[in-house]
Amino acid sequence: MAFAKKIVVVAVGLSDEMFEMLKPLKDMDFLAHSEIHFIHVFNTTNFTSVFSDFPVIYPIEVDHKTIEQSVLALMDKMTKDVLPRGFEGKIVRKCFFDDIPKSKFCEYVNEKSADLVIVPTRKKRGIFESSFAKYVNNHTQANMLLLK
């Protein structure tokens, strides 16, 4: 399939069921020669204080590297088990930090001019009841593949 040759971006969460949600990738032979980006955006939170003029951002900057290394190690382990058999393409794993994760994810998709975005969704919801999937659909030009 030509639409998934250049760059395929896969949204990766850190939930326990993420491995199961991404298992269908193993049977997608059309991805065997693609450049696949596994992306996680860690949600940062701003805390304002009455006693300070500056907000406190969690996680603090010095913790970013440690968190990023942990996330990338988890993704490395997981992606090896979910890639299609005979995968010969390129793998890119990235962890970003942002207070609006879905916006940062879409910014990355648009910046890379991705051909396809794969979003695992929870079975409890309808296809576009997931605010993340709906947001990505509305804010990127890439084709989307939703895994249920």
Side-chain angles (χ1 to χ4, degrees):
M1 293 184 144
F3 77 95
K5 284 292 182 201
K6 185 179 176 193
I7 296 178
V8 178
V9 180
V10 181
V12 178
L14 297 179
S15 66
D16 292 336
E17 62 269 353
M18 186 55 59
F19 174 75
E20 286 299 318
M21 293 169 77
L22 291 176
K23 259 188 175 176
L25 292 177
K26 198 166 205 60
D27 298 323
M28 296 181 187
D29 295 332
F30 66 91
L31 295 175
H33 300 284
S34 298
E35 180 176 330
I36 303 178
H37 295 231
F38 290 91
I39 306 300
H40 176 74
V41 183
F42 198 93
N43 189 20
T44 59
T45 306
N46 294 327
F47 294 102
T48 57
S49 172
V50 176
F51 305 109
S52 174
D53 292 335
F54 302 102
V56 175
I57 300 172
Y58 175 80
I60 59 176
E61 189 76 30
V62 295
D63 291 339
H64 283 202
K65 192 67 173 168
T66 305
I67 293 169
E68 181 181 8
Q69 289 172 344
S70 297
V71 169
L72 293 176
L74 284 170
M75 283 200 296
D76 184 46
K77 183 179 177 184
M78 179 190 54
T79 56
K80 288 178 181 175
D81 294 333
V82 300
L83 289 172
R85 293 176 251 319
F87 181 77
E88 296 175 1
K90 179 180 176 185
I91 302 170
V92 176
R93 296 174 193 88
K94 295 217 181 244
C95 176
F96 298 107
F97 294 85
D98 201 275
D99 56 340
I100 308 172
K102 54 190 172 186
S103 176
K104 180 67 176 176
F105 181 84
C106 291
E107 179 184 310
Y108 183 83
V109 169
N110 290 329
E111 177 184 301
K112 295 296 180 181
S113 300
D115 297 326
L116 177 67
V117 175
I118 299 175
V119 177
T121 60
R122 294 176 282 211
K123 291 182 181 181
K124 292 181 182 178
R125 298 183 177 181
I127 290 177
F128 284 109
E129 290 178 23
S130 164
S131 63
F132 183 80
K134 185 174 183 177
Y135 189 91
V136 172
N137 185 55
N138 289 338
H139 292 87
T140 65
Q141 296 297 315
N143 291 312
M144 287 188 65
L145 180 63
L146 303 176
L147 304 176
K148 272 192 99 118

